[in-house]
Amino acid sequence: MPIDKVAAAAYHIPTDLPEGDGTLAWQATTMVVVTLTADGHTGTGWTYAPAAAAALVTELLADVVTGSDAADIPAAWAAMTRQIRNAGRPGVAGYALSAVDVALWDLKARLLDVPLVRLFGAARPQVPLYGSGGFTTYDDDATTAQLRRWVQDQGIGRVKIKIGESYGTEPERDLHRVALARRVIGEAAELYVDANGGYSAKQAVRLGERMREHRVTWFEEPVSSDDLPGLRLVREHCAADVTAGEYGCDLAYFTRMCQAGAVDCLQIDATRCGGYTGWFAATAVAAGHNLQVSAHCAPNLHLPAAAATVNLRHIEWFHDHQRIEADLFDGAADPSGGLARPRADSPGHGLTLRTAAAERHRVR
């Protein structure tokens, strides 16, 4: 079936509280949604990116996708990759390509009238997840309330908070918040931290040593994801698993990270690395180096692909994105018990944008 229409829109959604991590703060998140139509069916993809990604879809990618066969996703993906050669990748162009690719896979599954996880081929019926938030902008009360909701109310046994505040200049507050998190979640739940590249390598080693008493088992991006020697140094001296990789948008980047021995688990973001097509290519690279992968953010988008990935560890149930997806889409998953199931009772990824609800946030 030929694709007859490509459309893109951008929505700017305020956060429920100010959010921040080791290197950035924000009070709203922009989601770019792409829709493709063929034979009366609509496929939907999205990414969390500047509104410019929607313009790039319209200006550069729509023409190469329109008229292509909805079944031939590799051909469309290759054509889009050629088209954005001079637009820069990774970056906004990578976000735009990713959203279109997700929409292509959703459209194909809907045309075939099968759930997307069945089109991929399931490796597991449900996917482990961890609650992610604990922003550096939260006070102790907000952090406590969020952690309790995950662990006590929803039964999620893995949680992550942000550290590395103000580019690593507040290490004592970081450690205070780690200790608080452990007290709130108790001894049974796993505790993860994410510095978003806020520390230097030696500082991260020192902080990692001091976090041992709180049994932190996952240290995400202790230094920049671009600092492969620094990641390897932290990994060699840290009791927690070191992970990074979500900002890479090409296989060469993921390959370098794996070959450098920089991480214990590779993070992959389908909304940045080329959609579902890019996801499965990156998971294959990780598998070739005997590494597990974790899905970064956009939890409902990742569910079908994560359930089809043999070397998956878990997905990130990121507070900012899961709130948006639950509010603006029908069909969002339930994380209760620390496990989520991809939709197997409807075609495609099973999510449908609530256009009227989203319209008030539209900026493009």
Side-chain angles (χ1 to χ4, degrees), residues 41-106:
H41 295 268
T42 299
T44 303
W46 67 96
T47 183
Y48 295 94
L56 196 147
V57 170
T58 302
E59 295 169 15
L60 287 182
L61 300 181
D63 284 348
V64 301
V65 173
T66 301
S68 66
D69 193 317
D72 296 336
I73 296 175
W77 198 90
M80 289 191 292
T81 302
R82 290 192 296 269
Q83 185 71 3
I84 64 172
R85 188 195 68 181
N86 292 336
R89 185 169 174 241
V92 173
Y95 289 107
L97 183 152
S98 299
V100 176
D101 182 84
V102 170
L104 282 166
W105 281 104
D106 185 44

Side-chain angles (χ1 to χ4, degrees), residues 256-270:
R256 289 195 301 272
M257 179 164 283
C258 292
Q259 290 176 336
V263 294
D264 296 286
C265 181
L266 184 66
Q267 277 198 296
I268 307 172
D269 190 330

Side-chain angles (χ1 to χ4, degrees), residues 152 186 227 265 281 292 312:
Q152 297 178 15
D227 183 4
C265 181
Q292 289 184 311
L312 180 88

Side-chain angles (χ1 to χ4, degrees), residues 10-16 19 26-33 46-49 135 297-301 317-333 351-355 357-358 360-361:
Y11 304 93
H12 197 60
I13 302 105
T15 58
D16 53 355
E19 296 177 356
W26 61 96
Q27 296 191 43
T29 297
T30 302
M31 178 177 66
V32 172
V33 178
W46 67 96
T47 183
Y48 295 94
F135 301 104
C297 293
N300 287 280
L301 181 147
W317 206 257
F318 184 52
H319 171 71
D320 193 13
H321 294 177
Q322 68 83 19
R323 181 182 61 87
I324 291 170
E325 291 166 5
D327 285 348
L328 300 187
F329 289 91
D330 289 322
L351 275 76
T352 304
L353 183 70
R354 296 174 182 143
T355 306
R360 70 184 185 275
H361 300 298

